[in-house]
Amino acid sequence: MTILIPQPELSEGHIDDYDAKELVLDGGFVVPNKTEAFDAPEINSFGNSFRDYNAESERKKTVEEFYRQQHINQSYDYVMKMREEYGKLDKAVMSIWECCELLNDVVDDSDPDLDEPQIQHLLQSAEAIRKDYPNEDWLHLTALIHDLGKVLLLPQFGQLPQWAVVGDTFPLGCAFDESNVHHKYFTDNPDFKNPAYSTKNGIYEEGCGLDNVVISWGHDDYMYLVAKENGTTLPHAALFIIRYHSLYPLHKAGAYKHLMNKEDEEDLKWLNIFNKYDLYSKSKVLVDVDEVKPYYQSLIKKYFTEKLRW
């Protein structure tokens, strides 16, 4: 039996002012409110609730150790260094689909919900969205490519440690919000005791916009740079989803919203919709890659050049 799960409840002061099931977006598209729409399962493939970092499972210790390393090492200076290095886009020249195929050997150690190759998660998310939003092809493609930055784990791209590629992201240059998973490990981050970074706003002004905020380095920011610098024609909301889909403190707990501007608020509506499919579509039921490949190749051709700099 499939059980429909409501969106996670937000703490007081972090409550969104719209109902996701009745939301009408700027583009005029209405969120599906029908029985045949995608139903989120109650438990993940390990028998636990999704994103339960306390549940006993064979991956719990691996996931917690991952976040310990990530929270210690992801400092403001580190992120600026990585953005400068990988912003050169000099690691490879290849197509979007070639990059998808590279992910066959990648498993995300930060994810407590699944241990399947990443290309399956991409296709599961994309196909679930395609079913509910058949006319929004940009959203289908966004789902397909949102995790392609995980190629940073591979030798050709520097074989970065997992903590520098995957996991929840968070802003640097301001106080670490307590909604960050395994928050206790931030105490060993070099930024933790920096007075300039210890307040709610830190080095930023309220409402400055997320484009002006430094976010922990990983596959999200890398794929955003690849798409933007290669001149994609995907809408701005797609780039927002790609860059911030792992910023769970924001779109799950409502943290850091004081740094958003009006454009961010509109894009966040799309991200909240996307998040349902990104999180709850993870399954042991695999997608037939050969069957769906022609469709996604047609979308790639529509929104990207044949070869991209990575």
Side-chain angles (χ1 to χ4, degrees), residues 43 78 132 160 303:
I43 59 176
Y78 173 80
D132 286 356
L160 298 182
Y303 291 105

Side-chain angles (χ1 to χ4, degrees), residues 19 35 273:
D19 182 343
T35 58
I273 293 170

Side-chain angles (χ1 to χ4, degrees), residues 6-26:
Q7 291 294 317
E9 294 184 3
L10 303 181
S11 60
E12 186 175 355
H14 288 152
I15 299 176
D16 291 327
D17 58 358
Y18 57 85
D19 182 343
K21 288 192 175 182
E22 297 178 352
L23 176 66
V24 179
L25 301 170
D26 283 352

Side-chain angles (χ1 to χ4, degrees), residues 150-213:
K150 291 181 180 180
V151 292
L152 291 172
L153 293 167
L154 301 176
Q156 182 179 358
F157 294 84
Q159 201 166 14
L160 298 182
Q162 291 255 343
W163 58 261
V165 180
V166 297
D168 291 9
T169 57
F170 47 88
L172 281 305
C174 59
F176 300 111
D177 192 88
E178 292 187 359
S179 62
N180 286 289
V181 63
H182 295 303
H183 178 273
K184 59 185 178 182
Y185 295 121
F186 282 120
T187 57
D188 291 325
N189 186 298
D191 292 352
F192 187 78
K193 296 180 180 179
N194 186 328
Y197 303 154
S198 62
T199 63
K200 183 177 180 180
N201 288 345
I203 62 175
Y204 309 110
E205 294 184 2
E206 187 167 335
C208 64
L210 293 182
D211 283 348
N212 297 307
V213 176

